[in-house]
């Protein structure tokens, strides 16, 4: 249908203030968020593909496997997270992810301002009932679980999540704390930093089926996405008024399909370092409903939360040290500037003598 589209917003968005006004308007009833790696960068969490990420720094010769398996990982480090390899030999996957798994349990990394922004979309809109339909995250770090306003019920981890455990054979879940205990006790530390780690790895056995195939609930290469993604998307995109896209290049399908599947009337806001998504029809230059807020996620969402009047909600996070250091500094600087702006100016009486 190429007929005229009736938008729920009065004017095409041209600024963050326009976005803030729309979020707070009665016409904006349903908000969907699609997030990528940029949302978690400020947490300092390890990533896989950067120049100093897990793949680039991996010494495959430290992993447990046959000569052929190690050679395959040397050629392509991502093979360590391959579903077929895991079913043959689960140890390389667990060894590569040991620090990540245990770090998630210890909350070594903290939810960012971008995560807190999504949380406030739920707790500060619609009289506290929330306008957030769902957060679809392509990240596997589980950081959104630190935000009470999001929780598992409003999050779909498209590529799975490191903060849950399941059996790859029978799909039975394992208590995450129990899984972490077994990882700490049975999986060697290839970084050599944990003196309590075993010298050799032994696989983790499923208590339901007895197979040695328990892993974090992440999607391995050559395996299917979680069914919940395909089940929830059709209902979630219905009647969406605003799609917020945070820190993703929109290169990976099928998560990026959400961009073109939302209603043609929905405002679409991309918060990212560079423009992207043209292949999905996202074009801030020529589409009335699209807007690019160019920059780092933390900077842009802080600007947006200031325009929404939500910065006071973030102050307790500083007191409880629940933000990454860089995010906390960013927030402190912003609050200081605001306080200086709001400080009463010294008034010179009108009848004061002129010097």
């Amino acid at each position: 249908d190429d007929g005229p589209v009736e938008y729920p917003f009065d004017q095409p968005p041209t600024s963050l203030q326009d976005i803030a006004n729309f979020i707070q308007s009665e016409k904006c009833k349903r908000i969907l968020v699609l997030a990528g790696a940029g949302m978690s960068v400020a947490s300092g969490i390890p990533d896989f593909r950067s120049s100093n990420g897990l793949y680039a720094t991996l010494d495959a010769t430290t992993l447990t496997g046959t000569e052929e398996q190690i050679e395959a990982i040397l050629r392509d480090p991502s093979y360590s997270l391959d579903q077929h390899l895991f079913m043959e030999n689960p140890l390389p996957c667990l060894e590569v992810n040991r620090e990540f798994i245990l770090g998630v349990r210890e909350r070594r990394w903290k939810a960012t301002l971008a995560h807190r922004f999504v949380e406030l979309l739920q707790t500060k809109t619609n009289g506290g009932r929330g306008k957030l339909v769902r957060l679809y995250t392509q990240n596997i770090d589980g950081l959104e679980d630190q935000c009470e306003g999001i929780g598992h019920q409003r999050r779909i981890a498209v590529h799975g999540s490191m903060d849950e455990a399941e059996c790859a054979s029978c799909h039975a879940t394992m208590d995450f704390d129990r899984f972490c205990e077994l990882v700490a006790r049975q999986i060697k530390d290839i970084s050599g930093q944990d003196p309590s780690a075993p010298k050799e790895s032994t696989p983790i056995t499923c208590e339901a089926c007895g197979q040695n195939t328990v892993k974090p609930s992440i999607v391995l290469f050559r395996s299917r996405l979680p069914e919940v993604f395909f089940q929830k998307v059709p209902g979630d995109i219905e009647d969406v008024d605003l799609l917020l896209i945070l820190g993703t290049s929109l290169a990976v399908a099928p998560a990026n399909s959400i961009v073109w599947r939302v209603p043609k009337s929905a405002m679409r806001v991309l918060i990212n370092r560079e423009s992207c998504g043209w292949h999905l029809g996202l074009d801030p230059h020529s589409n009335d409903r699209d807007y690019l807020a160019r920059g780092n996620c933390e900077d842009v969402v802080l600007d947006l939360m200031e325009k929404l009047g939500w910065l006071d909600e973030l102050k307790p996070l500083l007191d409880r040290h629940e933000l990454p250091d860089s995010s906390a500094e960013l927030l402190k600087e912003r609050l200081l500037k605001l306080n200086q702006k709001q400080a009463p100016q010294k008034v010179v009486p009108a009848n004061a003598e002129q010097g």
Side-chain angles (χ1 to χ4, degrees), residues 36-86:
M39 186 185 204
S40 293
V41 164
S43 71
I45 206 154
D47 71 290
F48 288 87
R49 296 188 181 279
S50 67
S51 57
N52 60 346
L54 286 168
Y55 293 152
T57 58
L58 176 64
D59 179 2
T61 62
T62 62
L63 300 175
T64 305
T66 65
E67 194 174 321
E68 292 80 7
Q69 290 168 349
I70 300 305
E71 282 178 3
I73 296 170
L74 281 166
R75 288 194 301 272
D76 177 7
S78 69
Y79 185 62
S80 61
L81 302 184
D82 181 89
Q83 172 79 3
H84 294 192
L85 173 62
F86 183 84

Coordinates of all heavy atoms in Angstrom, one line a residue, residues 36-86:
G36 N 22.3 -3.0 19.8 CA 23.5 -3.8 19.4 C 24.6 -3.5 20.3 O 24.5 -3.0 21.4
A37 N 25.8 -3.8 19.8 CA 27.0 -3.8 20.7 C 27.3 -2.4 21.2 O 27.8 -2.2 22.3 CB 28.2 -4.2 19.8
G38 N 26.9 -1.3 20.5 CA 27.2 0.1 21.0 C 26.5 0.4 22.3 O 26.9 1.2 23.0
M39 N 25.5 -0.4 22.6 CA 24.7 -0.2 23.9 C 25.6 -0.6 25.1 O 25.5 0.0 26.2 CB 23.4 -1.0 23.9 CG 22.6 -0.7 25.1 SD 21.1 -1.8 25.1 CE 19.9 -0.9 26.0
S40 N 26.5 -1.5 24.9 CA 27.3 -2.1 26.0 C 28.7 -1.7 26.0 O 29.5 -2.0 27.0 CB 27.2 -3.6 26.0 OG 25.9 -4.1 26.2
V41 N 29.2 -0.9 25.0 CA 30.6 -0.6 24.9 C 31.1 0.0 26.2 O 32.2 -0.3 26.7 CB 30.9 0.3 23.7 CG1 32.2 1.0 23.8 CG2 30.8 -0.5 22.4
A42 N 30.4 1.0 26.7 CA 30.9 1.7 27.9 C 31.1 0.8 29.1 O 31.8 1.2 30.0 CB 29.9 2.8 28.3
S43 N 30.5 -0.3 29.1 CA 30.6 -1.2 30.3 C 32.0 -1.9 30.3 O 32.5 -2.4 31.4 CB 29.6 -2.4 30.2 OG 29.9 -3.3 29.2
G44 N 32.7 -1.8 29.2 CA 34.1 -2.4 29.1 C 34.0 -3.9 29.0 O 35.0 -4.6 29.1
I45 N 32.9 -4.5 28.7 CA 32.7 -5.9 28.5 C 33.5 -6.4 27.3 O 33.6 -5.7 26.3 CB 31.2 -6.3 28.4 CG1 30.9 -7.7 28.9 CG2 30.7 -6.1 27.0 CD1 29.5 -7.9 29.4
P46 N 34.1 -7.6 27.4 CA 34.9 -8.1 26.2 C 34.0 -8.3 25.0 O 32.8 -8.7 25.1 CB 35.5 -9.4 26.7 CG 34.7 -9.8 27.9 CD 34.1 -8.5 28.5
D47 N 34.5 -8.0 23.8 CA 33.8 -8.3 22.6 C 34.6 -9.3 21.8 O 35.7 -9.7 22.2 CB 33.5 -7.0 21.8 CG 34.8 -6.5 21.1 OD1 35.7 -6.0 21.9 OD2 34.9 -6.6 19.9
F48 N 34.0 -9.8 20.7 CA 34.6 -10.9 20.0 C 35.5 -10.4 18.8 O 36.5 -11.0 18.5 CB 33.6 -11.9 19.5 CG 33.0 -12.7 20.7 CD1 31.9 -12.2 21.4 CD2 33.5 -13.9 21.0 CE1 31.4 -13.0 22.5 CE2 33.0 -14.7 22.1 CZ 31.9 -14.2 22.8
R49 N 35.0 -9.4 18.1 CA 35.5 -9.1 16.8 C 36.5 -7.9 16.7 O 37.1 -7.7 15.6 CB 34.4 -8.9 15.8 CG 33.5 -10.2 15.6 CD 32.5 -10.0 14.5 NE 31.7 -11.2 14.4 CZ 32.1 -12.3 13.8 NH1 33.2 -12.4 13.2 NH2 31.3 -13.4 13.8
S50 N 36.7 -7.1 17.7 CA 37.5 -5.9 17.6 C 39.0 -6.4 17.5 O 39.3 -7.5 17.7 CB 37.3 -5.0 18.7 OG 37.7 -5.6 19.9
S51 N 39.9 -5.4 17.3 CA 41.3 -5.7 17.1 C 41.9 -6.3 18.4 O 42.9 -6.9 18.3 CB 42.1 -4.4 16.7 OG 41.8 -3.4 17.7
N52 N 41.3 -6.0 19.5 CA 41.8 -6.6 20.8 C 40.7 -7.5 21.4 O 40.7 -7.7 22.6 CB 42.3 -5.5 21.8 CG 41.2 -4.6 22.2 OD1 40.1 -4.5 21.5 ND2 41.4 -3.8 23.2
G53 N 39.8 -7.9 20.6 CA 38.7 -8.8 21.1 C 39.1 -10.2 21.3 O 40.3 -10.6 21.1
L54 N 38.2 -11.0 21.7 CA 38.5 -12.4 22.0 C 39.1 -13.2 20.9 O 40.0 -14.0 21.1 CB 37.2 -13.1 22.5 CG 36.7 -12.7 23.9 CD1 35.3 -13.2 24.1 CD2 37.6 -13.3 25.0
Y55 N 38.6 -13.0 19.6 CA 39.1 -13.7 18.5 C 40.5 -13.3 18.2 O 41.4 -14.2 17.9 CB 38.2 -13.5 17.3 CG 36.8 -14.1 17.4 CD1 35.8 -13.5 16.6 CD2 36.6 -15.2 18.1 CE1 34.5 -14.1 16.7 CE2 35.3 -15.7 18.2 CZ 34.3 -15.2 17.5 OH 33.0 -15.7 17.6
A56 N 40.8 -12.0 18.2 CA 42.2 -11.5 17.9 C 43.2 -12.0 18.9 O 44.4 -12.2 18.5 CB 42.1 -10.0 17.7
T57 N 42.8 -12.1 20.1 CA 43.8 -12.4 21.2 C 43.8 -13.9 21.6 O 44.6 -14.3 22.4 CB 43.5 -11.6 22.5 OG1 42.2 -11.9 22.9 CG2 43.6 -10.1 22.2
L58 N 43.0 -14.7 21.0 CA 42.8 -16.1 21.3 C 44.1 -16.9 20.9 O 44.5 -16.9 19.7 CB 41.6 -16.7 20.7 CG 41.4 -18.2 20.9 CD1 41.2 -18.5 22.4 CD2 40.2 -18.7 20.1
D59 N 44.7 -17.6 21.8 CA 45.8 -18.6 21.5 C 45.1 -20.0 21.4 O 44.9 -20.6 22.5 CB 46.9 -18.5 22.5 CG 48.0 -19.5 22.2 OD1 47.9 -20.2 21.2 OD2 48.9 -19.6 23.0
A60 N 44.8 -20.4 20.2 CA 44.1 -21.7 20.1 C 44.8 -22.9 20.6 O 44.2 -23.9 21.0 CB 43.7 -21.9 18.6
T61 N 46.1 -22.8 20.7 CA 46.9 -23.9 21.2 C 46.7 -24.2 22.7 O 47.1 -25.2 23.2 CB 48.4 -23.7 20.9 OG1 48.9 -22.5 21.7 CG2 48.7 -23.5 19.5
T62 N 46.1 -23.2 23.4 CA 45.8 -23.4 24.8 C 44.5 -24.2 25.0 O 44.2 -24.6 26.2 CB 45.7 -22.1 25.6 OG1 44.6 -21.3 25.0 CG2 47.0 -21.3 25.4
L63 N 43.7 -24.4 24.0 CA 42.4 -25.0 24.1 C 42.5 -26.5 24.1 O 43.5 -27.1 23.6 CB 41.5 -24.6 22.9 CG 41.2 -23.0 22.9 CD1 40.4 -22.7 21.6 CD2 40.5 -22.5 24.1
T64 N 41.5 -27.2 24.6 CA 41.5 -28.6 24.7 C 40.8 -29.2 23.4 O 39.6 -28.9 23.3 CB 40.7 -29.1 26.0 OG1 41.3 -28.5 27.1 CG2 40.8 -30.6 26.1
G65 N 41.5 -29.9 22.6 CA 40.9 -30.5 21.4 C 41.8 -31.4 20.7 O 43.0 -31.4 21.0
T66 N 41.3 -32.0 19.6 CA 42.2 -32.8 18.8 C 43.0 -31.9 17.9 O 42.8 -30.7 17.8 CB 41.3 -33.7 17.8 OG1 40.6 -32.8 16.9 CG2 40.4 -34.6 18.6
E67 N 44.0 -32.4 17.3 CA 44.9 -31.6 16.4 C 44.1 -31.0 15.3 O 44.3 -29.8 15.0 CB 46.0 -32.6 15.8 CG 47.2 -31.8 15.2 CD 48.3 -32.7 14.8 OE1 48.6 -33.7 15.5 OE2 48.8 -32.5 13.7
E68 N 43.2 -31.7 14.7 CA 42.4 -31.2 13.6 C 41.5 -30.0 14.1 O 41.3 -29.0 13.5 CB 41.5 -32.3 13.0 CG 42.2 -33.3 12.3 CD 42.9 -34.4 13.2 OE1 42.6 -34.4 14.4 OE2 43.6 -35.2 12.7
Q69 N 40.9 -30.2 15.3 CA 40.0 -29.1 15.9 C 40.8 -27.9 16.2 O 40.4 -26.8 15.9 CB 39.3 -29.6 17.2 CG 38.3 -30.7 16.9 CD 37.8 -31.4 18.2 OE1 38.4 -31.3 19.2 NE2 36.8 -32.2 18.1
I70 N 42.0 -28.0 16.8 CA 42.8 -26.8 17.1 C 43.3 -26.1 15.8 O 43.3 -24.9 15.7 CB 44.1 -27.2 17.9 CG1 43.6 -27.9 19.3 CG2 44.9 -26.0 18.2 CD1 42.6 -27.1 20.1
E71 N 43.6 -26.9 14.8 CA 44.0 -26.3 13.5 C 42.9 -25.5 12.9 O 43.1 -24.4 12.3 CB 44.5 -27.4 12.5 CG 45.9 -27.9 12.8 CD 46.3 -29.0 11.9 OE1 45.6 -29.4 11.0 OE2 47.4 -29.6 12.1
A72 N 41.7 -26.0 13.0 CA 40.5 -25.3 12.5 C 40.3 -24.0 13.2 O 39.9 -23.0 12.6 CB 39.3 -26.2 12.6
I73 N 40.5 -24.0 14.5 CA 40.3 -22.8 15.3 C 41.4 -21.8 15.0 O 41.2 -20.6 15.0 CB 40.2 -23.1 16.8 CG1 39.0 -24.0 17.1 CG2 40.2 -21.8 17.7 CD1 38.9 -24.6 18.5
L74 N 42.6 -22.3 14.8 CA 43.7 -21.4 14.4 C 43.4 -20.7 13.1 O 43.7 -19.5 12.9 CB 45.0 -22.2 14.2 CG 45.8 -22.6 15.5 CD1 46.8 -23.6 15.2 CD2 46.4 -21.3 16.1
R75 N 42.8 -21.4 12.1 CA 42.4 -20.8 10.8 C 41.3 -19.8 11.0 O 41.2 -18.8 10.4 CB 42.0 -21.9 9.8 CG 43.1 -22.7 9.3 CD 42.7 -23.5 8.1 NE 41.6 -24.4 8.4 CZ 41.8 -25.7 8.8 NH1 43.0 -26.2 9.0 NH2 40.7 -26.5 9.1
D76 N 40.3 -20.2 11.9 CA 39.1 -19.3 12.1 C 38.7 -19.4 13.6 O 38.1 -20.3 14.0 CB 38.0 -19.8 11.2 CG 36.7 -19.0 11.5 OD1 36.8 -17.9 12.2 OD2 35.6 -19.3 10.9
P77 N 39.2 -18.4 14.4 CA 38.9 -18.4 15.8 C 37.4 -18.6 16.2 O 37.0 -19.1 17.2 CB 39.4 -17.1 16.3 CG 40.5 -16.7 15.4 CD 40.0 -17.2 14.0
S78 N 36.5 -18.1 15.3 CA 35.1 -18.2 15.6 C 34.6 -19.6 15.6 O 33.5 -20.0 16.1 CB 34.2 -17.4 14.6 OG 34.3 -17.9 13.3
Y79 N 35.4 -20.6 15.0 CA 35.0 -22.0 15.0 C 34.9 -22.5 16.4 O 34.3 -23.5 16.7 CB 36.0 -22.8 14.1 CG 35.7 -24.2 14.0 CD1 34.5 -24.6 13.3 CD2 36.5 -25.2 14.5 CE1 34.1 -26.0 13.2 CE2 36.2 -26.6 14.3 CZ 35.0 -26.9 13.7 OH 34.6 -28.3 13.5
S80 N 35.6 -21.9 17.4 CA 35.5 -22.3 18.8 C 34.1 -22.2 19.3 O 33.8 -22.8 20.3 CB 36.5 -21.5 19.6 OG 36.1 -20.1 19.6
L81 N 33.3 -21.4 18.6 CA 31.9 -21.2 19.0 C 30.9 -21.8 18.0 O 29.8 -21.3 17.8 CB 31.6 -19.7 19.3 CG 32.4 -19.0 20.3 CD1 31.9 -17.6 20.5 CD2 32.4 -19.7 21.6
D82 N 31.4 -22.9 17.4 CA 30.5 -23.5 16.3 C 29.7 -24.7 17.0 O 30.2 -25.4 17.8 CB 31.5 -24.1 15.3 CG 30.7 -24.8 14.2 OD1 30.4 -24.1 13.2 OD2 30.5 -26.0 14.3
Q83 N 28.5 -24.7 16.6 CA 27.5 -25.7 17.2 C 28.0 -27.2 16.9 O 28.0 -28.0 17.8 CB 26.1 -25.5 16.6 CG 25.1 -26.6 16.9 CD 24.5 -26.4 18.3 OE1 24.8 -25.5 19.0 NE2 23.6 -27.4 18.7
H84 N 28.5 -27.4 15.7 CA 28.9 -28.8 15.3 C 30.1 -29.2 16.2 O 30.2 -30.3 16.6 CB 29.2 -28.9 13.8 CG 27.9 -28.7 13.0 ND1 27.9 -29.0 11.6 CD2 26.7 -28.2 13.3 CE1 26.7 -28.7 11.2 NE2 26.0 -28.2 12.1
L85 N 31.1 -28.3 16.3 CA 32.2 -28.6 17.1 C 31.8 -28.8 18.6 O 32.3 -29.7 19.3 CB 33.2 -27.4 17.1 CG 34.4 -27.5 18.1 CD1 35.2 -28.8 17.8 CD2 35.3 -26.3 18.0
F86 N 30.9 -28.0 19.1 CA 30.4 -28.1 20.5 C 29.9 -29.5 20.7 O 30.1 -30.1 21.8 CB 29.4 -27.0 20.9 CG 29.0 -27.1 22.3 CD1 29.8 -26.4 23.3 CD2 27.9 -27.8 22.7 CE1 29.4 -26.5 24.6 CE2 27.5 -27.8 24.0 CZ 28.3 -27.2 25.0

